[in-house]
Amino acid sequence: MDYSDLLQETTFALLSNKVRSGLTILGIVIGIGSVIAMIAIGQGAQNSIQASIQSIGSNLIVVMPGSQRSGVVSAGRGSATTLTQADADAIASDISGVAVAPDITKRYQVIVPGQNTNTQVIGTTPEYVQIRKYDIAEGSFITSDQVRSMARVAVIGPTTASDLFGDGVDPIGKIVRINGIDFNIIGITVSKGSSGFLNQDDFLIIPITTAQHLLAGVDYVSTISIQAPDQNSMADIQQQITDLLLARHRISNPQSADFSVMNQADIVSTASSVTNTFTILLASVAGISLIVGGIGIMNMMLTTVTERTREIGLRKAIGAKKRDINLQFLAEAILLTFAGGFLGIVLGFLLSLLISNFMGMATQVSLFSILLAFGVSAIIGIVFGYYPAQRASKLNPIEALRYE
Amino acid sequence: MIEIKNITKSYYPGGVEAKVLKGISFTIKDGEFVAIMGPSGSGKSTIMHILGALDSPSSGEYFLDGKDVSKFSDDELADIRKNKIGFVFQAFNLLPRATVVRNVSLPLIYAGIPKKEREERAIKALRSAGFDESRFYNLSNQLSGGQMQRVAIARALVNSPSLILADEPTGNLDTKTGDIVLGTFQRLNAEGKTVVLITHEPYVAEHAERIIHIKDGSVLEDKKNENKRVIKL
């Protein structure tokens, strides 16, 4: 009996009892469908979280100041003022392939005639635009000449622009006043949108020298952003930065460093592990229904074997071997679960479409979940079809033929 | 050619030996039409199972076309059934939702015959079983009992077996259709087929050329049937 015959015999047997076959695979359809939909929801959530983290900048490493200590009293994380422009320059010159942008960020009251707002003013260098993935909608970003000459120019975020000037007004060329100093707006960025409670469009960017000397009157920097050339070199570069800054700050024990180096991948992986747990939870609940579906298949196959005892006896009488009978019933179970798996994938697709359209959740049906569904349904067919097929193949032909 | 020598068969229901066959020997030559007759419990069904390679004897030898099949394994017996034996059962045992042609070609699937040839051979077998041409593609559960038994005969013929083994083939039929089935066997025998008929009815057995009478697991009588009933189809 070759495989095309086997397939034909199998489909024939299943189609001759359509209603029962249909009802039996329903369990598998629902199981596979919900596994696919749940994985799609999890994957969608993970993607949107990752995308919003990625929009801060890719391959980003941030050096933040640590806590300032006077004696045993710690002033809390981020309070140290030990990071300097020189540290940033050292990172840029000693570590190859990186882009470095130090910044000093403080909140100020920003005033235009008839309007004012409180926003964060980021004093930084021209590299910042590339590292933090800002796009300039109109005008230009600050230049290194402007940094060197402490120019009083500012690039404005779209939210700040509409707060100060109203919607639809071109802010370029307008003057804003911060701490009594006038700044000329030279550019506006493209909106990044808000990620949760964090509005990424509410800021002013000015040259770092201007921010340090004219506004704050200090010479430290609040953070240093570093862009690694690729994902793989992140860990290595992070280590190099740590070593370099420890040496520059003359700290021998890494535990007492006055800065911390954070990796964007760490944030992504933390977020991913949360959504992964969530996905596994959803999928395992759905997986339980798959097992129930599999038991349904086994139940039906056992009934079928009993019902078709005489047929099995006849097949043996006309020369079918144990193996032939075994294969036939196993194939019936596998074909059932495959059909169920296929319909389940369609159902899962529809479910995830419905969820993303009507509930506004991002979903993504991955190839992985489809392959998983097919694999699982095949395994269910084999596992739950094995015992009934064994029973069929072991029937004694004489007794099977006499069975009433 | 069938040769069985001193065959015994014992069962052990509840651990106690029950001897169903107590040393049976006979020879059936190619082209013979033999009836094995006996009352129920005589052991004739057990003989049929052994002749049909569905079961192995406890002792003794069974030569089918010169090969001793009495010690064969399950799979080897399946091969013997596939290639050398054609069964006709009392209850027909057709696949209910399958067409006539499909039912008849079923043994050829296990014999590994390609699909096109299967259908040709099935049609040929149906013709030689005298089955109505217009019903070749009907479903088998739409047929009358007599038609079903002819389909079963065609199925037994389809792999050109050495032996056609019919177990009470008229048991579920009325006398008239039963006669037609018996006539079909006679015609097939006249065409050179070896037919062994197992029955408890003397009337049915009288259609054969030779009657082997079984009683209590032994051969009571084995002789040529002097007044053979001949059915003209």
Side-chain angles (χ1 to χ4, degrees):
Chain A
M1 193 177 208
D2 65 27
Y3 289 103
S4 68
D5 288 333
L6 184 67
L7 190 70
Q8 212 180 3
E9 287 289 305
T10 308
T11 41
F12 178 79
L14 292 179
L15 289 180
S16 57
N17 220 329
K18 288 191 196 76
V19 176
R20 192 202 292 175
S21 303
L23 286 175
T24 311
I25 65 171
L26 210 53
I28 299 291
V29 173
I30 293 171
I32 294 282
S34 45
V35 166
I36 293 217
M38 294 306 132
I39 291 179
I41 291 173
Q43 196 76 43
Q46 186 158 341
N47 287 352
S48 65
I49 289 173
Q50 277 186 3
S52 74
I53 293 171
Q54 292 293 347
S55 75
I56 300 170
S58 58
N59 304 331
L60 185 65
I61 298 167
V62 179
V63 183
M64 309 240 284
S67 56
Q68 191 169 40
R69 282 176 177 275
S70 56
V72 292
V73 180
S74 168
R77 187 172 289 270
S79 63
T81 54
T82 47
L83 289 178
T84 62
Q85 180 70 44
D87 287 332
D89 293 341
I91 293 169
S93 60
D94 287 15
I95 298 166
S96 61
V98 297
V100 181
D103 66 84
I104 175 155
T105 303
K106 278 192 151 91
R107 296 192 78 87
Y108 290 100
Q109 206 68 23
V110 181
I111 303 160
V112 296
Q115 189 59 274
N116 69 87
T117 184
N118 187 289
T119 188
Q120 60 173 343
V121 176
I122 305 164
T124 188
T125 59
E127 289 81 9
Y128 195 80
V129 71
Q130 165 214 338
I131 296 171
R132 291 294 183 115
K133 280 195 170 167
Y134 283 104
D135 287 316
I136 300 299
E138 254 184 275
S140 58
F141 200 70
I142 54 174
T143 64
S144 36
D145 281 345
Q146 287 163 339
V147 171
R148 222 173 294 131
S149 62
M150 274 195 267
R152 296 168 191 188
V153 291
V155 175
I156 195 166
T159 302
T160 319
S162 71
D163 285 351
L164 290 175
F165 306 110
D167 288 326
V169 179
D170 183 6
I172 292 174
K174 294 223 165 24
I175 306 291
V176 295
R177 177 169 289 195
I178 309 167
N179 264 13
I181 298 165
D182 284 344
F183 286 83
N184 198 354
I185 307 256
I186 56 167
I188 180 165
T189 62
V190 173
S191 171
K192 277 191 178 189
S194 57
S195 69
F197 49 87
L198 185 79
N199 190 330
Q200 297 192 71
D201 296 329
D202 187 10
F203 59 84
L204 274 175
I205 295 173
I206 61 174
I208 187 164
T209 46
T210 321
Q212 282 175 324
H213 304 303
L214 295 184
L215 288 184
V218 297
D219 58 2
Y220 61 83
V221 301
S222 18
T223 55
I224 303 173
S225 307
I226 297 122
Q227 187 179 40
D230 53 64
Q231 191 80 41
N232 299 332
S233 59
M234 296 271 281
D236 186 39
I237 286 176
Q238 208 173 341
Q239 189 56 47
Q240 288 182 42
I241 293 169
T242 310
D243 293 344
L244 177 69
L245 291 183
L246 283 173
R248 286 182 55 83
H249 294 186
R250 296 197 176 78
I251 297 164
S252 52
N253 179 7
Q255 298 296 319
S256 57
D258 57 356
F259 60 89
S260 58
V261 181
M262 293 218 318
N263 178 341
Q264 188 194 15
D266 298 341
I267 309 168
V268 174
S269 78
T270 310
S272 301
S273 78
V274 172
T275 52
N276 272 344
T277 315
F278 168 71
T279 308
I280 288 167
L281 180 77
L282 287 176
S284 49
V285 170
I288 291 169
S289 71
L290 260 185
I291 293 174
V292 175
I295 294 170
I297 298 254
M298 174 139 89
N299 199 358
M300 152 155 178
M301 291 309 297
L302 284 175
T303 314
T304 305
V305 168
T306 311
E307 250 182 27
R308 283 158 66 191
T309 300
R310 287 176 74 106
E311 180 196 320
I312 295 164
L314 170 81
R315 285 179 185 273
K316 286 200 160 184
I318 60 177
K321 292 179 180 159
K322 266 186 186 164
R323 190 176 156 273
D324 295 322
I325 302 289
N326 202 343
L327 267 182
Q328 191 190 338
F329 281 86
L330 201 55
E332 280 183 28
I334 293 173
L335 198 69
L336 271 180
T337 53
F338 250 50
F342 179 76
L343 292 176
I345 287 168
V346 174
L347 179 75
F349 247 115
L350 291 177
L351 275 180
S352 55
L353 270 182
L354 286 178
I355 289 166
S356 62
N357 281 345
F358 291 104
M359 294 171 69
M361 285 170 82
T363 59
Q364 195 202 359
V365 177
S366 59
L367 181 67
F368 165 76
S369 65
I370 289 177
L371 292 179
L372 182 80
F374 256 119
V376 165
S377 55
I379 288 170
I380 285 179
I382 292 167
V383 168
F384 290 99
Y386 181 79
Y387 172 64
Q390 278 291 316
R391 246 172 72 154
S393 70
K394 280 187 184 142
L395 284 175
N396 179 330
I398 299 166
E399 280 160 25
L401 279 167
R402 275 205 204 121
Y403 185 85
E404 292 296 334
Chain B
M1 165 131 144
I2 290 168
E3 212 179 344
I4 63 175
K5 286 181 182 164
N6 205 18
I7 286 232
T8 69
K9 183 73 187 177
S10 297
Y11 292 104
Y12 298 88
V16 186
E17 183 181 12
K19 254 192 166 169
V20 180
L21 298 182
K22 301 166 183 164
I24 287 191
S25 307
F26 55 74
T27 304
I28 297 171
K29 293 191 197 75
D30 285 345
E32 267 195 288
F33 187 177
V34 181
I36 296 176
M37 196 181 74
S40 65
S42 60
K44 65 180 190 303
S45 290
T46 309
I47 293 178
M48 189 214 63
H49 295 148
I50 290 170
L51 285 181
L54 287 166
D55 206 351
S56 301
S58 300
S59 70
E61 288 163 323
Y62 168 21
F63 290 95
L64 179 60
D65 293 341
K67 263 188 278 180
D68 185 3
V69 301
S70 59
K71 310 283 186 301
F72 273 20
S73 71
D74 280 357
D75 277 356
E76 287 169 319
L77 287 177
D79 278 332
I80 293 291
R81 296 197 292 270
K82 181 164 74 190
N83 299 322
K84 306 218 168 213
I85 316 266
F87 286 97
V88 179
F89 300 100
Q90 178 175 358
F92 323 133
N93 287 329
L94 302 180
L95 299 184
R97 291 185 192 82
T99 63
V100 165
V101 167
R102 195 182 150 80
N103 262 294
V104 174
S105 50
L106 196 61
L108 301 176
I109 292 178
Y110 293 107
I113 308 289
K115 202 175 170 200
K116 198 159 170 268
E117 194 188 332
R118 289 207 292 260
E119 186 153 335
E120 285 164 8
R121 280 171 67 171
I123 287 170
K124 209 176 129 212
L126 280 164
R127 285 196 181 122
S128 71
F131 188 79
D132 182 1
E133 297 245 357
S134 66
R135 294 180 189 274
F136 278 7
Y137 293 93
N138 282 24
L139 296 185
S140 66
N141 50 358
Q142 299 167 342
L143 304 175
S144 70
Q147 286 166 337
M148 282 192 189
Q149 199 58 301
R150 284 178 180 223
V151 175
I153 293 170
R155 183 180 62 197
L157 288 173
V158 77
N159 53 354
S160 326
S162 314
L163 167 65
I164 293 169
L165 208 50
D167 184 18
E168 302 278 11
T170 60
N172 283 8
L173 303 175
D174 59 59
T175 318
K176 201 177 154 215
T177 45
D179 279 355
I180 294 171
V181 166
L182 291 170
T184 308
F185 283 126
Q186 285 182 339
R187 205 194 65 228
L188 290 172
N189 175 244
E191 287 165 8
K193 300 277 177 197
T194 314
V195 180
V196 173
L197 193 65
I198 285 111
T199 183
H200 66 282
E201 280 182 86
Y203 170 81
V204 174
E206 280 162 16
H207 292 79
E209 291 168 339
R210 172 181 160 200
I211 300 174
I212 301 174
H213 217 113
I214 306 285
K215 203 177 176 190
D216 297 332
S218 309
V219 177
L220 191 71
E221 193 182 43
D222 180 353
K223 63 168 192 181
K224 194 170 185 309
N225 181 15
E226 299 296 348
N227 32 9
K228 180 183 169 187
R229 291 172 190 270
V230 176
I231 290 164
K232 292 216 161 51
L233 291 174

